Amino acid sequence: MKYVKEIALILGASLAGEFLNQTLPLPVPAGVYGLFLLLAGLLTGIVKIEHVDDTGNWLLDTMPLMFVPVSVGLMESFGELKGILLPFVFISFISTVIVMAVTGLLAEWIIKRKMKNKETEV
């Protein structure tokens, strides 16, 4: 029953995101709305981390499987991609490097900030 409740919370946030996507005239994907709603619930304490922890971890563990259909779709449309393959690979590589760098710098900043806060508490 615990997993049903966790899935219901995550699905509820996703469905609320779908509703916001249909009602608000902003170019924001529904999934982003849902993630921000879930984040707001976690930050305000309405949703506790224990309420979504196990299902969230399971979803993260199975995430690589979600990319299989996309990969198959790319292989099926290789004929259309052949003409723009070099720019496509270049843009994919550059954007991956940028995302990795920004994520690493942000994680480093958060860790340093947490260490500084612990030092001032002691």
Side-chain angles (χ1 to χ4, degrees), residues 88-99:
F88 183 77
V89 170
F90 180 74
I91 290 170
S92 297
F93 177 76
I94 294 299
S95 62
T96 301
V97 169
I98 290 170
V99 167

Side-chain angles (χ1 to χ4, degrees), residues 13-14 16-22 24-37:
S14 295
E18 290 287 341
F19 175 75
L20 288 175
N21 187 33
Q22 295 297 317
L24 297 177
L26 301 172
V28 178
V32 174
Y33 281 127
L35 287 173
F36 276 119
L37 289 172

Side-chain angles (χ1 to χ4, degrees), residues 67-82 88:
F67 289 102
V68 171
V70 174
S71 302
V72 171
L74 280 174
M75 288 189 296
E76 286 182 355
S77 60
F78 182 74
E80 291 87 19
L81 283 175
K82 201 178 344 179
F88 183 77

